[in-house]
Amino acid sequence: MTAVRVVEPSEAPEEKPEVLAPPPDIITTPCDPWPRPYYLEDGLRKVRPYHFTYNTYCKQRWRGRELLDIFATEFRDRPQEYYKDAIECGNVVVNGQKVPSVREVVKNGDVISHTLHRHEPPVTAQPIGIVHEDDDMIVINKPAGVPVHPAGRYNYNSIVEIMRAERGHGWNPLPCNRLDRLTSGVMFIGKHPKAAEKLTDQIMARTVKKEYVARVIGEFPEGDMMCDQPVMQISPKLGLNRARASGKDARTIFKRMAYYPPKPTANGVETEADDDHSEKEKIRDSGMAWKSKRGYSIVRCLPLTGRTHQLRVHLQFLGHPISNDPIYCNQRVFGPSLAAGDALSDDDEDIISKLSRMGKSEIAEAMDYHDQMMKEYNKRKAEKMTGERCDICDTPLYSDPGTHELGIYLHARRYACQDGKWDYETPLPEWALPPPGINGPTVTAETDPMALLDGDGRPTVTTEGYSSNRAHKNPKPSKLKPLWTMPG
């Protein structure tokens, strides 16, 4: 018989965790210019180029890969030849040391540093509006086209850094809600962590009522409409989302404020603002449903959930995308139908591929196609490469962006506490006001989106004719009826 010895816990061999080497002395940014190198020109806030160092620990997916391969595949800001030269000349280093070869293999715990001459894109020179300020919080009217946090090509041209530059180097603004770079409107900036945490908790608990305003292509249906199509992120890298049955719960109530048809001509015939297309182009366009939608609508959007790009995706799904949305109103990416009513197709990889290939030299064909207020759109320059290069770092230079690139027609107009303790709103943006010489609403009426839901927080719908559709129209506040049946 073999004796079995029981090992007491105190005698068991100790399992030692993996011990990594202490972090190296990471290269620091060569300068932290103060005052920030801003200057205003042609209605834009610009930043003079400056040297900057990015530092990042090796990500899990980078382990065992060559340094140049990581830069060439993970970063799209510059061509591969630039990264090759940067590694060879020591502008890209690992653990503070120049590597012997671009084929250096990166391992867990490595710190990669990249020092470069940074060129930030310009943003609008429109000042950040102050809606309210007290000892705890600043409520601002964020201009369109300005990112909230430093990210990607933007650093000093961000809400956080612009406000820091205005109030002092040591001041630390704490954003409490999210707005996309292209979106304008109400934002909350905490003055101290406790205030920021309190408001963030309210927003996360869905006890804050939100109202947005959008300008969409075509004649949006009248009445209250619920869209509860789930939203799924299909590409984190590109920030692309789609309506998908397997996505996360997402609900929005829409209500049309106004519809503005195409401007009549002298003989009374309605035409598009810029209808100088050839017969060949008209035949091509006849197969594109979105191009047959005439005029535009101003729509109130009352989100009941807060998914990324929720309003943009829901409006696209309903067949009325935001008219100058460079992603969700882009025929080159989504095809002739612009993915209206599409929650079942399996073309996500194709969509991702098309969007990732789009460069600064391309302009979304769908952008402002129907907008008579911008009939010269196709004649305006977009932000694109000029063919010139920086004298210091040889980086290709871009032209200034056109006004159509600084934002989209989506504005966070109002945030209000559900129990009535606070309520902040902004005026309607200029693009939501009636065109010159035409009567239309200049303010929005009070609407409580919660009144359209039952006790479980779901839309109140009739069952007659209902067939798994995710869009409902409500001619009366008490009932939401089907608008149409989703294909498939």
Side-chain angles (χ1 to χ4, degrees), residues 27-28 30 51-55 67 71 78 81-94 96-99 111-117 392-395:
I27 291 180
T28 57
H51 286 90
F52 186 84
T53 300
Y54 294 91
N55 297 289
L67 187 58
F71 274 92
R78 304 194 183 205
E81 190 63 30
Y82 165 83
Y83 294 117
K84 180 177 180 294
D85 292 341
I87 295 170
E88 291 176 342
C89 72
N91 287 336
V92 172
V93 298
V94 177
Q97 301 296 319
K98 183 179 178 181
V99 296
V111 177
I112 303 171
S113 303
H114 179 201
T115 301
L116 76 167
H117 193 231
I392 295 176
C393 63
D394 201 39
T395 297

Side-chain angles (χ1 to χ4, degrees), residues 15 20 141 151 202 212 233 280 350 354-356 372-373 384 431:
E15 188 174 320
L20 300 177
N141 187 2
Q202 289 185 63
Y212 289 69
Q233 186 176 65
K280 183 177 180 180
D350 183 49
K354 289 177 180 177
L355 187 60
S356 65
Q372 65 260 36
M373 302 301 292
K384 56 187 178 182
W431 50 257

Side-chain angles (χ1 to χ4, degrees), residues 16 23 57 106 109 139 173 195 203 220 298 352 363 404 447 479 485:
K16 295 182 179 180
Y57 277 93
V106 175
V139 184
I203 295 174
F220 198 86
I298 305 299
I352 293 171
I363 302 173
H404 58 280
T447 296
K479 290 289 182 181
T485 301

Side-chain angles (χ1 to χ4, degrees), residues 261-333:
K263 186 176 180 181
T265 60
N267 60 10
V269 178
E270 290 186 347
T271 62
E272 293 295 342
D274 189 11
D275 191 14
D276 58 355
H277 296 81
S278 67
E279 286 302 317
K280 183 177 180 180
E281 290 173 324
K282 291 178 180 179
I283 293 173
R284 177 203 64 189
D285 295 352
S286 65
M288 304 175 188
W290 63 273
K291 287 189 176 181
S292 66
K293 297 181 188 295
R294 303 176 66 79
Y296 65 90
S297 301
I298 305 299
V299 179
R300 297 176 63 198
C301 314
L302 307 169
L304 305 180
T305 54
R307 306 302 177 201
T308 302
H309 293 182
Q310 176 177 316
L311 302 181
R312 297 163 70 180
V313 171
H314 276 176
L315 287 167
Q316 181 198 49
F317 178 81
L318 296 176
H320 295 275
I322 295 171
S323 58
N324 66 344
D325 192 322
I327 296 178
Y328 300 103
C329 193
N330 190 329
Q331 177 198 302
R332 294 183 184 177
V333 175

Side-chain angles (χ1 to χ4, degrees), residues 42 76 99 109 116 200 222 266 281 307 407 416 452 463 484:
D42 299 329
R76 303 170 58 221
V99 296
L116 76 167
T200 301
E222 293 184 302
E281 290 173 324
R307 306 302 177 201
L452 301 175
T463 56
W484 49 277

